[in-house]
Amino acid sequence: MSWADSLVILAIIALGSYVQTLTGFAFGLIVVGSITLLGLAPIEFTAFVVSTLSLFNSLIAVWGYQRQVRWRWLLVILLSCVPFTVLGIWLLTHLGQQQASVLELLLGLSIIGCSGMMLLRPEPSKRESSASAFALSGGLAGLMGGLFGTFGPPVAYLMYRQPALLDGIRATLQALFCMTSILRIALALGAQQLDGQSYWISLLGIPVVIVGTLLGRRYQPPLSDSWMRRLAFGLLLLTGCSLSLSALVNVGLAD
């Protein structure tokens, strides 16, 4: 990897840190999607870097907002997320490129469909979702996190549909990513062979993440709750498009 590529990756990390601080998610979406589309690094490298740096971003962002975390949501999501994260990492190490790309395409298309509908109707539901809905989103998040290093889309979609204050949603998402990052780092170290560049970029990215996160906490755009929800669903839509495009490109290369 050249120095130019490393600088581009660090710039993407800075942008992802800022946006995640505003919305409570999107760090992994931006970093994984951008690096994959630009062809800067393989998915195993990107997923590990995202997991490592997302931990720092989430710790800083959630600091001082612990009382706003919706702990019941968090517990139900984690109970289903953990085993599916293990499954996702196992699939990452055993699936062929074409099989993984087909799964990536299905995930991307599902995200496009959900986020597109929510952009048209960003208002939250009148009733809180059931525990089974949170468990399902946790399972899907774990699968995505294990495979691609980004847990955000399924849980972010569900949480932004809840009749709750955005500060509570963001705090809950950041607390979740703290825990899932630790889990994925531990599993990846035990199951994958990582080169020195993964550790080097992770180390360089720590101060970048800190600066991006602090800027996100200090300088927030003057948007209403409704427009913040639209921003979140718009990010999900872009993520679905990038995942789908990346999968189609990889399937074409495999053929």
Side-chain angles (χ1 to χ4, degrees), residues 146-217:
L147 279 167
F148 311 117
T150 174
F151 293 81
V155 289
Y157 165 77
L158 184 64
M159 286 193 191
Y160 269 91
R161 293 294 297 144
Q162 304 309 306
L165 295 176
L166 291 186
D167 284 346
I169 292 172
R170 286 191 288 257
T172 306
L173 285 169
Q174 296 286 13
L176 172 66
F177 297 145
C178 284
M179 298 176 187
T180 54
S181 294
I182 294 172
L183 171 66
R184 199 192 184 287
I185 291 168
L187 292 173
L189 289 174
Q192 296 176 244
Q193 296 294 324
L194 299 167
D195 58 24
Q197 287 186 329
S198 301
Y199 301 107
W200 178 240
I201 291 295
S202 297
L203 184 62
L204 289 177
I206 291 173
V208 174
V209 165
I210 293 173
V211 172
T213 304
L214 294 177
L215 288 174
R217 290 188 65 163

Side-chain angles (χ1 to χ4, degrees), residues 58-92:
S58 299
L59 283 172
I60 298 170
V62 81
W63 189 264
Y65 294 91
Q66 298 93 323
R67 292 185 178 181
Q68 300 186 43
V69 174
R70 304 295 290 264
W71 293 104
R72 187 177 66 83
W73 296 358
L74 187 61
L75 177 60
V76 174
I77 290 171
L78 282 173
L79 287 175
S80 59
C81 183
V82 171
F84 278 92
T85 302
V86 176
L87 174 62
I89 290 181
W90 183 86
L91 289 173
L92 180 62

Side-chain angles (χ1 to χ4, degrees), residues 1-14 17 27 45 48-49 52-53 56 196-212:
M1 181 185 298
S2 67
W3 276 104
D5 290 343
S6 299
L7 289 175
V8 172
I9 290 174
L10 292 175
I12 293 170
I13 288 170
S17 301
F27 179 78
F45 166 93
F48 178 79
V49 170
T52 304
L53 296 181
F56 287 91
Q197 287 186 329
S198 301
Y199 301 107
W200 178 240
I201 291 295
S202 297
L203 184 62
L204 289 177
I206 291 173
V208 174
V209 165
I210 293 173
V211 172

Side-chain angles (χ1 to χ4, degrees), residues 29-158:
L29 308 181
I30 292 172
V31 176
V32 172
S34 300
I35 292 177
T36 301
L37 286 177
L38 294 175
L40 297 174
I43 188 64
E44 294 86 355
F45 166 93
T46 310
F48 178 79
V49 170
V50 164
S51 298
T52 304
L53 296 181
S54 180
L55 175 59
F56 287 91
N57 172 266
S58 299
L59 283 172
I60 298 170
V62 81
W63 189 264
Y65 294 91
Q66 298 93 323
R67 292 185 178 181
Q68 300 186 43
V69 174
R70 304 295 290 264
W71 293 104
R72 187 177 66 83
W73 296 358
L74 187 61
L75 177 60
V76 174
I77 290 171
L78 282 173
L79 287 175
S80 59
C81 183
V82 171
F84 278 92
T85 302
V86 176
L87 174 62
I89 290 181
W90 183 86
L91 289 173
L92 180 62
T93 57
H94 289 82
L95 286 180
Q97 177 65 58
Q98 190 167 17
Q99 293 169 310
S101 297
V102 170
L103 183 57
E104 186 179 11
L105 176 60
L106 292 175
L107 290 170
L109 292 176
S110 64
I111 293 170
I112 290 173
C114 292
S115 57
M117 290 188 294
M118 291 304 99
L119 272 173
L120 298 176
R121 297 183 60 186
E123 296 79 14
S125 300
K126 295 182 179 180
R127 293 184 179 181
E128 185 175 304
S129 298
S130 64
S132 60
F134 282 98
L136 177 60
S137 72
L140 292 174
L143 186 62
M144 280 195 69
L147 279 167
F148 311 117
T150 174
F151 293 81
V155 289
Y157 165 77
L158 184 64

